[in-house]
Amino acid sequence: MNEPMKRLRHQLREVADLESIAAVLEWDQNTYMPRGGAEARGRQLAMIQTIAHRQLVSDEMRSLLRQLAPISDRDDEDGALIRKAARKAERARRMPSEFVSELKEHLSRSYVCWTQARKHSDFASVQPFLEKTLELSLRKSEYLGFENHPMDPLVDQWDPGMNVSTVRSLFSELRSELLPLVRKIVDQPRKESSIAGVPFDEERQLAVGRYIAEALGYDFERGRQDLTHHPFMTRLSGGDVRITTRVLPNDLEYSLFSTIHETGHALYEQGIRADFDASPLGEGASAGVHESQSRLWENLVGRSLSFWKRFYPELQTHFPEQLQEVDLDSFYSSINRVEPSLIRTEADEVTYNLHVMLRFELECQMLEGTLRVSDLPEAWNARMSDDFQLKPTEDRLGVLQDVHWYCETIGGLFQGYALGNVMSAQFYYAAIQSEPKVAEGVAEGDFKPLRDWLTAHVYQHGARYEPIELIEKATGKPLAIDDFMTYLLEKFGALYSLERRSP
Amino acid sequence: MNEPMKRLRHQLREVADLESIAAVLEWDQNTYMPRGGAEARGRQLAMIQTIAHRQLVSDEMRSLLRQLAPISDRDDEDGALIRKAARKAERARRMPSEFVSELKEHLSRSYVCWTQARKHSDFASVQPFLEKTLELSLRKSEYLGFENHPMDPLVDQWDPGMNVSTVRSLFSELRSELLPLVRKIVDQPRKESSIAGVPFDEERQLAVGRYIAEALGYDFERGRQDLTHHPFMTRLSGGDVRITTRVLPNDLEYSLFSTIHETGHALYEQGIRADFDASPLGEGASAGVHESQSRLWENLVGRSLSFWKRFYPELQTHFPEQLQEVDLDSFYSSINRVEPSLIRTEADEVTYNLHVMLRFELECQMLEGTLRVSDLPEAWNARMSDDFQLKPTEDRLGVLQDVHWYCETIGGLFQGYALGNVMSAQFYYAAIQSEPKVAEGVAEGDFKPLRDWLTAHVYQHGARYEPIELIEKATGKPLAIDDFMTYLLEKFGALYSLERRSP
């Protein structure tokens, strides 16, 4: 088996390197590329994707995977590698390369149209693109194959082991707990922010973000931070994991928490075993698990009282003018205000998942054929009204707000955001319960105990385990909403003086 | 012919796009990449090169070029395209891909060794690498084939149409004019610089550089400027031509003139016909012609009295503390001091070419087998002593100063620097003689007339014409040193109060 395994690893490394090259091209496109570079860059990205696809579906790859199939039953890393590689190759083989190109090209035109449509709140102009996207999403789903729901293979692509039914059942449980909680909070006196709208020097915001990223453990020797429009993290190789942020002149929270969020993603990638680099195991376990790490650092650590007890005095020295008169409690309550709002990316921890569920449900309905694209804005607004008692006055604040449906298939991406929130609490609680130094460390600004726990139980494994298995191994129990709800009820119960749940 | 021509264009565009992808990876490597990214990046670059090579030597490319061979006699763009493509494919075919990999890998290890060797002035440590490079350079030359001199195919690769004999004859003529001029200048009282060693705020240096680049006509919508260690220009596509610079705290001249230099390269690339993009015609005509444009803008424009009459008052307002007391004449004389020195990149316009000739001659001798690598430092120092009456006390200041021999073949790169200087004057004189608005424009800070002339006669054509042909078409005469010597004698004659040459 040695020789074929060696050859397979080499082939997979080339595929991974091609994907990394595409990631460099995309990073540049989203950070520094001048406008004039767009056309050639689109061509270059499409070409790299085609070459990678060709390599994945090559006869040699197929024959190697066939020879090595017996290994795929094994419980070790090689077994995991073969399983991952076989799935990836199979997925590539099922999608004709003309379809991949057609989809890519359509989505890039759809994206361009959306940028204008959003600006002018003009859903009608992008509707034909979205109709075509729906059609192509269904075709993709058929190519990949499914038994129950057309969205199943799309969900499985991003969150392996999950499907519409498991997600729906988790979401329904979560929703029945969240809606009453939101209502209780809304009934409390509204909290004002003591920092919203206040101007903060942009260079200093950046410096503070960088300082915190470093304090959390982000390794700048194996990464860097740059400015972009929509912050993201990207792995260009195990030794080059980059984050990006955006600094707004009147919004300290934005740069602060987007930096911590992307740092969370990056800590995950920087923690993956070095020998998994440039292989299908050298990436996060799923979209959900990835998001669990960004949200764990952003929310459970970064929006905790304990974290700011340690860092707020420092923050005040960086911004004396703005923060001298704002005490810790007031700052803490400002960064944790709960308020139903129209925009997902600005939502608080309590309402956030409701935004995600709305999108997930509408995706399901579109793919099931029970919701027409032309009726989408209305359906969106109706649900916003049900869940939040809010109605977008413009589609810009509603169905046009997120890029996802306009640059990717319909279905596959959204559930991960809510799964990540749920998992984030389950991982964090397991860490603090099994290792007392974790919570002590956070309180002292020493994040090594937490990082060490996460590295041992999550990060180092990369994509070796399926999410479901990883969660059980790391936390000792299956994925469930309990820890997340406990976390929300304790934190926001205290913040909003709510009565405890009856036992 | 239509269908094969279309297919050939498509194939060539893919090769060009692959080269552009490599250029993005290299740009990133030289600007922003964290240290940890080096290993994967090396692999990615090698892979892209291999894919491009494979495409160039493919059966389809060969067959298309064979079908289209009759067109190659034509005088139009298609003819030029076929000739260029056929040469490029032929060159690729002649070099086995294992050799290309071996050379690439050796040179990247040699480069790493050189960075240390230079730091410690330790030629002995890099000598074995250089010996291997010599051997590989000779092998490359044999693969490419030659009749007279082993360096001919290497020279021809970078400066098409040139060979050792034509370069040697031009250099010998130039040398016999330069040596007496240098001697005359050295006999004059030494000039002091009024700006050397003075601290200049780095952010402001950058802002001034950017302002001047824009004034010269560099289009930031189709490019950008970033910081790097060794400034360079790179074309990522016709709409994305980037420059880089370096800012030293105590050296205004460095950032100023390196920015103008790279802007010159970039104006050339930005001026190439858009429909030549991503084809073998979408690049400069040769290393020499490219350098002629960087040097034209850097020296004939950027170090002229006329340019600074217009811009010096502005420069003074940016740096009042440093420049208030320095008058225009003193500034002009400072940026044009002539002084034999050890380092090529810091050399003035008069002595610069002697540095290049030294390298070119030693390259010839190594490839001829008349100079052993072990004797190189001695030969270097002997010639420095002959030409400049200077002797490097350390190899860091001598044979180790330039990266070229340690990251490329021996032979091919250096002559272009001197050819560029000679051509720069010939182009500039043709421009100002045929279009009075050119010189008027420069004096007024309006560079459009010059840019328009250069675009019409040089830039737009890209690599359509061979350098020799391009120069004749643009200037109405063959390449010769006359204009360059006239330029030097007039400018430095005035600066150093030399007697005019007897007619």
PDB file of all heavy atoms in Angstrom, chain A residues 406-435:
ATOM      1  N   TYR A 406     -26.512  35.251  -3.595  1.00  0.00           N
ATOM      2  CA  TYR A 406     -26.175  35.915  -4.855  1.00  0.00           C
ATOM      3  C   TYR A 406     -24.778  35.548  -5.336  1.00  0.00           C
ATOM      4  O   TYR A 406     -24.365  35.975  -6.405  1.00  0.00           O
ATOM      5  CB  TYR A 406     -26.356  37.428  -4.695  1.00  0.00           C
ATOM      6  CG  TYR A 406     -27.729  37.749  -4.129  1.00  0.00           C
ATOM      7  CD1 TYR A 406     -27.920  38.008  -2.767  1.00  0.00           C
ATOM      8  CD2 TYR A 406     -28.858  37.715  -4.962  1.00  0.00           C
ATOM      9  CE1 TYR A 406     -29.184  38.250  -2.244  1.00  0.00           C
ATOM     10  CE2 TYR A 406     -30.131  37.948  -4.436  1.00  0.00           C
ATOM     11  CZ  TYR A 406     -30.290  38.223  -3.083  1.00  0.00           C
ATOM     12  OH  TYR A 406     -31.551  38.448  -2.578  1.00  0.00           O
ATOM     13  N   CYS A 407     -24.066  34.761  -4.539  1.00  0.00           N
ATOM     14  CA  CYS A 407     -22.725  34.364  -4.981  1.00  0.00           C
ATOM     15  C   CYS A 407     -22.458  32.881  -4.716  1.00  0.00           C
ATOM     16  O   CYS A 407     -21.357  32.394  -4.946  1.00  0.00           O
ATOM     17  CB  CYS A 407     -21.652  35.210  -4.306  1.00  0.00           C
ATOM     18  SG  CYS A 407     -21.342  34.761  -2.604  1.00  0.00           S
ATOM     19  N   GLU A 408     -23.477  32.171  -4.217  1.00  0.00           N
ATOM     20  CA  GLU A 408     -23.327  30.730  -3.988  1.00  0.00           C
ATOM     21  C   GLU A 408     -24.667  30.063  -4.303  1.00  0.00           C
ATOM     22  O   GLU A 408     -25.634  30.753  -4.614  1.00  0.00           O
ATOM     23  CB  GLU A 408     -22.925  30.473  -2.518  1.00  0.00           C
ATOM     24  CG  GLU A 408     -21.501  29.966  -2.329  1.00  0.00           C
ATOM     25  CD  GLU A 408     -21.218  28.652  -3.051  1.00  0.00           C
ATOM     26  OE1 GLU A 408     -22.171  27.914  -3.365  1.00  0.00           O
ATOM     27  OE2 GLU A 408     -20.045  28.361  -3.308  1.00  0.00           O
ATOM     28  N   THR A 409     -24.705  28.762  -4.198  1.00  0.00           N
ATOM     29  CA  THR A 409     -25.986  28.081  -4.400  1.00  0.00           C
ATOM     30  C   THR A 409     -26.959  28.493  -3.295  1.00  0.00           C
ATOM     31  O   THR A 409     -26.550  29.005  -2.250  1.00  0.00           O
ATOM     32  CB  THR A 409     -25.824  26.549  -4.321  1.00  0.00           C
ATOM     33  OG1 THR A 409     -25.135  26.234  -3.112  1.00  0.00           O
ATOM     34  CG2 THR A 409     -25.051  26.018  -5.506  1.00  0.00           C
ATOM     35  N   ILE A 410     -28.230  28.267  -3.536  1.00  0.00           N
ATOM     36  CA  ILE A 410     -29.225  28.446  -2.485  1.00  0.00           C
ATOM     37  C   ILE A 410     -29.202  27.167  -1.658  1.00  0.00           C
ATOM     38  O   ILE A 410     -29.462  26.082  -2.176  1.00  0.00           O
ATOM     39  CB  ILE A 410     -30.622  28.691  -3.089  1.00  0.00           C
ATOM     40  CG1 ILE A 410     -30.621  30.044  -3.812  1.00  0.00           C
ATOM     41  CG2 ILE A 410     -31.698  28.659  -2.002  1.00  0.00           C
ATOM     42  CD1 ILE A 410     -31.894  30.345  -4.547  1.00  0.00           C
ATOM     43  N   GLY A 411     -28.872  27.315  -0.402  1.00  0.00           N
ATOM     44  CA  GLY A 411     -28.780  26.130   0.449  1.00  0.00           C
ATOM     45  C   GLY A 411     -27.354  25.684   0.671  1.00  0.00           C
ATOM     46  O   GLY A 411     -26.568  25.588  -0.270  1.00  0.00           O
ATOM     47  N   GLY A 412     -27.014  25.460   1.941  1.00  0.00           N
ATOM     48  CA  GLY A 412     -25.689  24.910   2.233  1.00  0.00           C
ATOM     49  C   GLY A 412     -24.909  25.759   3.207  1.00  0.00           C
ATOM     50  O   GLY A 412     -24.215  25.252   4.074  1.00  0.00           O
ATOM     51  N   LEU A 413     -25.037  27.092   3.073  1.00  0.00           N
ATOM     52  CA  LEU A 413     -24.150  27.947   3.858  1.00  0.00           C
ATOM     53  C   LEU A 413     -24.720  28.429   5.180  1.00  0.00           C
ATOM     54  O   LEU A 413     -23.998  28.614   6.150  1.00  0.00           O
ATOM     55  CB  LEU A 413     -23.737  29.171   3.034  1.00  0.00           C
ATOM     56  CG  LEU A 413     -22.672  28.908   1.971  1.00  0.00           C
ATOM     57  CD1 LEU A 413     -22.444  30.164   1.153  1.00  0.00           C
ATOM     58  CD2 LEU A 413     -21.373  28.445   2.623  1.00  0.00           C
ATOM     59  N   PHE A 414     -26.039  28.655   5.233  1.00  0.00           N
ATOM     60  CA  PHE A 414     -26.547  29.398   6.394  1.00  0.00           C
ATOM     61  C   PHE A 414     -26.608  28.617   7.697  1.00  0.00           C
ATOM     62  O   PHE A 414     -26.294  29.136   8.759  1.00  0.00           O
ATOM     63  CB  PHE A 414     -27.899  30.047   6.078  1.00  0.00           C
ATOM     64  CG  PHE A 414     -27.757  31.377   5.416  1.00  0.00           C
ATOM     65  CD1 PHE A 414     -28.197  31.595   4.120  1.00  0.00           C
ATOM     66  CD2 PHE A 414     -27.144  32.428   6.088  1.00  0.00           C
ATOM     67  CE1 PHE A 414     -28.045  32.830   3.508  1.00  0.00           C
ATOM     68  CE2 PHE A 414     -26.986  33.673   5.481  1.00  0.00           C
ATOM     69  CZ  PHE A 414     -27.434  33.863   4.189  1.00  0.00           C
ATOM     70  N   GLN A 415     -27.028  27.336   7.612  1.00  0.00           N
ATOM     71  CA  GLN A 415     -27.219  26.603   8.875  1.00  0.00           C
ATOM     72  C   GLN A 415     -25.952  26.602   9.736  1.00  0.00           C
ATOM     73  O   GLN A 415     -26.037  26.595  10.969  1.00  0.00           O
ATOM     74  CB  GLN A 415     -27.720  25.178   8.624  1.00  0.00           C
ATOM     75  CG  GLN A 415     -26.662  24.177   8.156  1.00  0.00           C
ATOM     76  CD  GLN A 415     -26.280  24.380   6.701  1.00  0.00           C
ATOM     77  OE1 GLN A 415     -27.058  24.940   5.924  1.00  0.00           O
ATOM     78  NE2 GLN A 415     -25.082  23.949   6.340  1.00  0.00           N
ATOM     79  N   GLY A 416     -24.786  26.641   9.077  1.00  0.00           N
ATOM     80  CA  GLY A 416     -23.521  26.586   9.822  1.00  0.00           C
ATOM     81  C   GLY A 416     -23.383  27.700  10.851  1.00  0.00           C
ATOM     82  O   GLY A 416     -22.776  27.512  11.905  1.00  0.00           O
ATOM     83  N   TYR A 417     -23.956  28.876  10.544  1.00  0.00           N
ATOM     84  CA  TYR A 417     -23.844  29.995  11.485  1.00  0.00           C
ATOM     85  C   TYR A 417     -24.523  29.688  12.806  1.00  0.00           C
ATOM     86  O   TYR A 417     -24.000  29.988  13.872  1.00  0.00           O
ATOM     87  CB  TYR A 417     -24.462  31.267  10.896  1.00  0.00           C
ATOM     88  CG  TYR A 417     -23.681  31.849   9.742  1.00  0.00           C
ATOM     89  CD1 TYR A 417     -24.169  31.816   8.448  1.00  0.00           C
ATOM     90  CD2 TYR A 417     -22.450  32.455   9.973  1.00  0.00           C
ATOM     91  CE1 TYR A 417     -23.459  32.373   7.386  1.00  0.00           C
ATOM     92  CE2 TYR A 417     -21.734  33.012   8.916  1.00  0.00           C
ATOM     93  CZ  TYR A 417     -22.249  32.965   7.626  1.00  0.00           C
ATOM     94  OH  TYR A 417     -21.537  33.514   6.602  1.00  0.00           O
ATOM     95  N   ALA A 418     -25.705  29.077  12.723  1.00  0.00           N
ATOM     96  CA  ALA A 418     -26.423  28.771  13.970  1.00  0.00           C
ATOM     97  C   ALA A 418     -25.833  27.530  14.640  1.00  0.00           C
ATOM     98  O   ALA A 418     -25.677  27.491  15.868  1.00  0.00           O
ATOM     99  CB  ALA A 418     -27.908  28.577  13.682  1.00  0.00           C
ATOM    100  N   LEU A 419     -25.477  26.523  13.836  1.00  0.00           N
ATOM    101  CA  LEU A 419     -24.820  25.349  14.416  1.00  0.00           C
ATOM    102  C   LEU A 419     -23.579  25.791  15.179  1.00  0.00           C
ATOM    103  O   LEU A 419     -23.295  25.294  16.272  1.00  0.00           O
ATOM    104  CB  LEU A 419     -24.422  24.357  13.312  1.00  0.00           C
ATOM    105  CG  LEU A 419     -25.566  23.677  12.548  1.00  0.00           C
ATOM    106  CD1 LEU A 419     -25.012  22.847  11.388  1.00  0.00           C
ATOM    107  CD2 LEU A 419     -26.398  22.799  13.486  1.00  0.00           C
ATOM    108  N   GLY A 420     -22.844  26.736  14.606  1.00  0.00           N
ATOM    109  CA  GLY A 420     -21.627  27.225  15.249  1.00  0.00           C
ATOM    110  C   GLY A 420     -21.908  27.822  16.613  1.00  0.00           C
ATOM    111  O   GLY A 420     -21.172  27.588  17.578  1.00  0.00           O
ATOM    112  N   ASN A 421     -22.975  28.599  16.714  1.00  0.00           N
ATOM    113  CA  ASN A 421     -23.318  29.193  18.012  1.00  0.00           C
ATOM    114  C   ASN A 421     -23.618  28.121  19.046  1.00  0.00           C
ATOM    115  O   ASN A 421     -23.159  28.188  20.188  1.00  0.00           O
ATOM    116  CB  ASN A 421     -24.533  30.118  17.863  1.00  0.00           C
ATOM    117  CG  ASN A 421     -24.161  31.416  17.161  1.00  0.00           C
ATOM    118  OD1 ASN A 421     -23.057  31.923  17.344  1.00  0.00           O
ATOM    119  ND2 ASN A 421     -25.067  31.936  16.353  1.00  0.00           N
ATOM    120  N   VAL A 422     -24.408  27.145  18.617  1.00  0.00           N
ATOM    121  CA  VAL A 422     -24.771  26.068  19.539  1.00  0.00           C
ATOM    122  C   VAL A 422     -23.517  25.312  19.981  1.00  0.00           C
ATOM    123  O   VAL A 422     -23.294  25.062  21.169  1.00  0.00           O
ATOM    124  CB  VAL A 422     -25.792  25.113  18.861  1.00  0.00           C
ATOM    125  CG1 VAL A 422     -26.025  23.880  19.715  1.00  0.00           C
ATOM    126  CG2 VAL A 422     -27.096  25.866  18.592  1.00  0.00           C
ATOM    127  N   MET A 423     -22.676  24.971  19.012  1.00  0.00           N
ATOM    128  CA  MET A 423     -21.459  24.221  19.347  1.00  0.00           C
ATOM    129  C   MET A 423     -20.494  25.039  20.204  1.00  0.00           C
ATOM    130  O   MET A 423     -19.785  24.495  21.043  1.00  0.00           O
ATOM    131  CB  MET A 423     -20.717  23.828  18.068  1.00  0.00           C
ATOM    132  CG  MET A 423     -21.425  22.823  17.188  1.00  0.00           C
ATOM    133  SD  MET A 423     -20.471  22.636  15.643  1.00  0.00           S
ATOM    134  CE  MET A 423     -21.612  21.669  14.649  1.00  0.00           C
ATOM    135  N   SER A 424     -20.458  26.339  19.970  1.00  0.00           N
ATOM    136  CA  SER A 424     -19.470  27.168  20.670  1.00  0.00           C
ATOM    137  C   SER A 424     -19.629  27.021  22.184  1.00  0.00           C
ATOM    138  O   SER A 424     -18.654  26.883  22.922  1.00  0.00           O
ATOM    139  CB  SER A 424     -19.594  28.642  20.263  1.00  0.00           C
ATOM    140  OG  SER A 424     -20.787  29.215  20.756  1.00  0.00           O
ATOM    141  N   ALA A 425     -20.885  27.016  22.647  1.00  0.00           N
ATOM    142  CA  ALA A 425     -21.123  26.888  24.087  1.00  0.00           C
ATOM    143  C   ALA A 425     -20.796  25.481  24.565  1.00  0.00           C
ATOM    144  O   ALA A 425     -20.220  25.291  25.643  1.00  0.00           O
ATOM    145  CB  ALA A 425     -22.572  27.243  24.413  1.00  0.00           C
ATOM    146  N   GLN A 426     -21.135  24.500  23.744  1.00  0.00           N
ATOM    147  CA  GLN A 426     -20.865  23.118  24.158  1.00  0.00           C
ATOM    148  C   GLN A 426     -19.358  22.879  24.310  1.00  0.00           C
ATOM    149  O   GLN A 426     -18.914  22.250  25.271  1.00  0.00           O
ATOM    150  CB  GLN A 426     -21.501  22.148  23.157  1.00  0.00           C
ATOM    151  CG  GLN A 426     -21.460  20.705  23.634  1.00  0.00           C
ATOM    152  CD  GLN A 426     -22.419  19.807  22.868  1.00  0.00           C
ATOM    153  OE1 GLN A 426     -23.405  20.286  22.287  1.00  0.00           O
ATOM    154  NE2 GLN A 426     -22.136  18.504  22.863  1.00  0.00           N
ATOM    155  N   PHE A 427     -18.577  23.396  23.371  1.00  0.00           N
ATOM    156  CA  PHE A 427     -17.117  23.268  23.481  1.00  0.00           C
ATOM    157  C   PHE A 427     -16.589  24.048  24.692  1.00  0.00           C
ATOM    158  O   PHE A 427     -15.763  23.565  25.460  1.00  0.00           O
ATOM    159  CB  PHE A 427     -16.415  23.780  22.214  1.00  0.00           C
ATOM    160  CG  PHE A 427     -16.482  22.843  21.040  1.00  0.00           C
ATOM    161  CD1 PHE A 427     -16.975  23.271  19.803  1.00  0.00           C
ATOM    162  CD2 PHE A 427     -16.028  21.524  21.142  1.00  0.00           C
ATOM    163  CE1 PHE A 427     -17.025  22.408  18.705  1.00  0.00           C
ATOM    164  CE2 PHE A 427     -16.062  20.662  20.044  1.00  0.00           C
ATOM    165  CZ  PHE A 427     -16.570  21.106  18.818  1.00  0.00           C
ATOM    166  N   TYR A 428     -17.069  25.259  24.843  1.00  0.00           N
ATOM    167  CA  TYR A 428     -16.532  26.109  25.907  1.00  0.00           C
ATOM    168  C   TYR A 428     -16.852  25.546  27.280  1.00  0.00           C
ATOM    169  O   TYR A 428     -15.996  25.511  28.168  1.00  0.00           O
ATOM    170  CB  TYR A 428     -17.075  27.531  25.757  1.00  0.00           C
ATOM    171  CG  TYR A 428     -16.350  28.538  26.624  1.00  0.00           C
ATOM    172  CD1 TYR A 428     -15.000  28.815  26.398  1.00  0.00           C
ATOM    173  CD2 TYR A 428     -16.996  29.219  27.652  1.00  0.00           C
ATOM    174  CE1 TYR A 428     -14.317  29.743  27.174  1.00  0.00           C
ATOM    175  CE2 TYR A 428     -16.321  30.152  28.438  1.00  0.00           C
ATOM    176  CZ  TYR A 428     -14.985  30.405  28.192  1.00  0.00           C
ATOM    177  OH  TYR A 428     -14.303  31.322  28.958  1.00  0.00           O
ATOM    178  N   TYR A 429     -18.074  25.076  27.431  1.00  0.00           N
ATOM    179  CA  TYR A 429     -18.443  24.504  28.732  1.00  0.00           C
ATOM    180  C   TYR A 429     -17.633  23.253  29.029  1.00  0.00           C
ATOM    181  O   TYR A 429     -17.215  23.019  30.161  1.00  0.00           O
ATOM    182  CB  TYR A 429     -19.947  24.205  28.779  1.00  0.00           C
ATOM    183  CG  TYR A 429     -20.768  25.429  29.158  1.00  0.00           C
ATOM    184  CD1 TYR A 429     -20.361  26.710  28.776  1.00  0.00           C
ATOM    185  CD2 TYR A 429     -21.939  25.323  29.910  1.00  0.00           C
ATOM    186  CE1 TYR A 429     -21.113  27.831  29.125  1.00  0.00           C
ATOM    187  CE2 TYR A 429     -22.685  26.447  30.261  1.00  0.00           C
ATOM    188  CZ  TYR A 429     -22.258  27.702  29.857  1.00  0.00           C
ATOM    189  OH  TYR A 429     -22.988  28.805  30.204  1.00  0.00           O
ATOM    190  N   ALA A 430     -17.405  22.442  28.003  1.00  0.00           N
ATOM    191  CA  ALA A 430     -16.578  21.245  28.208  1.00  0.00           C
ATOM    192  C   ALA A 430     -15.177  21.652  28.643  1.00  0.00           C
ATOM    193  O   ALA A 430     -14.578  21.040  29.540  1.00  0.00           O
ATOM    194  CB  ALA A 430     -16.526  20.417  26.922  1.00  0.00           C
ATOM    195  N   ALA A 431     -14.661  22.705  28.040  1.00  0.00           N
ATOM    196  CA  ALA A 431     -13.299  23.147  28.369  1.00  0.00           C
ATOM    197  C   ALA A 431     -13.234  23.649  29.805  1.00  0.00           C
ATOM    198  O   ALA A 431     -12.365  23.228  30.585  1.00  0.00           O
ATOM    199  CB  ALA A 431     -12.855  24.248  27.396  1.00  0.00           C
ATOM    200  N   ILE A 432     -14.138  24.541  30.181  1.00  0.00           N
ATOM    201  CA  ILE A 432     -14.036  25.097  31.541  1.00  0.00           C
ATOM    202  C   ILE A 432     -14.392  24.066  32.590  1.00  0.00           C
ATOM    203  O   ILE A 432     -13.902  24.119  33.710  1.00  0.00           O
ATOM    204  CB  ILE A 432     -14.868  26.400  31.743  1.00  0.00           C
ATOM    205  CG1 ILE A 432     -16.339  26.197  31.393  1.00  0.00           C
ATOM    206  CG2 ILE A 432     -14.316  27.529  30.904  1.00  0.00           C
ATOM    207  CD1 ILE A 432     -17.184  27.451  31.636  1.00  0.00           C
ATOM    208  N   GLN A 433     -15.239  23.103  32.223  1.00  0.00           N
ATOM    209  CA  GLN A 433     -15.588  22.082  33.222  1.00  0.00           C
ATOM    210  C   GLN A 433     -14.474  21.062  33.407  1.00  0.00           C
ATOM    211  O   GLN A 433     -14.260  20.567  34.507  1.00  0.00           O
ATOM    212  CB  GLN A 433     -16.910  21.399  32.838  1.00  0.00           C
ATOM    213  CG  GLN A 433     -18.117  22.247  33.241  1.00  0.00           C
ATOM    214  CD  GLN A 433     -19.363  21.951  32.418  1.00  0.00           C
ATOM    215  OE1 GLN A 433     -19.412  20.942  31.714  1.00  0.00           O
ATOM    216  NE2 GLN A 433     -20.355  22.824  32.514  1.00  0.00           N
ATOM    217  N   SER A 434     -13.741  20.759  32.328  1.00  0.00           N
ATOM    218  CA  SER A 434     -12.727  19.723  32.473  1.00  0.00           C
ATOM    219  C   SER A 434     -11.381  20.296  32.891  1.00  0.00           C
ATOM    220  O   SER A 434     -10.499  19.555  33.296  1.00  0.00           O
ATOM    221  CB  SER A 434     -12.589  18.910  31.188  1.00  0.00           C
ATOM    222  OG  SER A 434     -11.957  19.691  30.203  1.00  0.00           O
ATOM    223  N   GLU A 435     -11.218  21.604  32.781  1.00  0.00           N
ATOM    224  CA  GLU A 435      -9.896  22.186  33.057  1.00  0.00           C
ATOM    225  C   GLU A 435     -10.072  23.548  33.751  1.00  0.00           C
ATOM    226  O   GLU A 435     -10.339  24.556  33.094  1.00  0.00           O
ATOM    227  CB  GLU A 435      -9.133  22.333  31.727  1.00  0.00           C
ATOM    228  CG  GLU A 435      -7.756  22.938  31.848  1.00  0.00           C
ATOM    229  CD  GLU A 435      -6.898  22.239  32.879  1.00  0.00           C
ATOM    230  OE1 GLU A 435      -6.342  21.173  32.570  1.00  0.00           O
ATOM    231  OE2 GLU A 435      -6.782  22.776  34.010  1.00  0.00           O
TER     232      GLU A 435
END
